[in-house]
Amino acid sequence: GMKIWSLTFERAEELRLQRAEKAEEVDKLKATRPEEIWSADLDRVEELLDERDIASRVETKHQKLAKKRKSSRETKQLTSLFFP
């Protein structure tokens, strides 16, 4: 818990505001049908999976590009050894 001597007026006001915000969130949740909550959760999961898929594709492209650059550098090095 919080030490009483660290509870300043500003901190107390901040905590009251947080309590009011949380109470508002609870009221909103209570007024929402479980099906709506479920649907919203699924939509959010789908968004996050889409973001992950995009990031994965970008990473794969970067890896392929790095591999191609490395291969190109190695080819140039070998060419310079045999054809100075």
Side-chain angles (χ1 to χ4, degrees), residues 26-39:
V26 167
D27 291 342
K28 184 177 178 182
L29 275 173
K30 285 181 178 179
T32 306
R33 293 187 355 247
E35 295 82 7
E36 292 172 2
I37 295 171
W38 176 249
S39 180

Side-chain angles (χ1 to χ4, degrees), residues 2-84:
M2 182 183 293
K3 305 287 185 211
I4 192 70
W5 57 84
S6 69
L7 187 62
T8 63
F9 176 78
E10 291 83 12
R11 180 68 179 139
E13 285 299 311
E14 182 182 327
L15 290 171
R16 284 186 198 101
L17 179 62
Q18 287 177 4
R19 182 183 66 192
E21 290 171 352
K22 293 299 176 185
E24 193 174 305
E25 287 179 34
V26 167
D27 291 342
K28 184 177 178 182
L29 275 173
K30 285 181 178 179
T32 306
R33 293 187 355 247
E35 295 82 7
E36 292 172 2
I37 295 171
W38 176 249
S39 180
D41 287 349
L42 288 177
D43 289 345
R44 183 64 180 139
V45 167
E46 187 174 16
E47 289 173 14
L48 292 172
L49 288 173
D50 289 345
E51 290 173 14
R52 186 201 62 182
D53 291 345
I54 290 169
S56 177
R57 283 193 294 259
V58 167
E59 180 63 27
T60 300
K61 284 183 181 182
H62 285 185
Q63 288 174 351
K64 286 180 181 179
L65 183 58
K67 186 176 179 181
K68 187 175 182 180
R69 285 181 181 159
K70 182 180 177 187
S71 175
S72 176
R73 256 188 311 229
E74 290 172 350
T75 301
K76 286 179 184 177
Q77 288 173 346
L78 287 173
T79 303
S80 67
L81 287 174
F82 292 107
F83 303 103

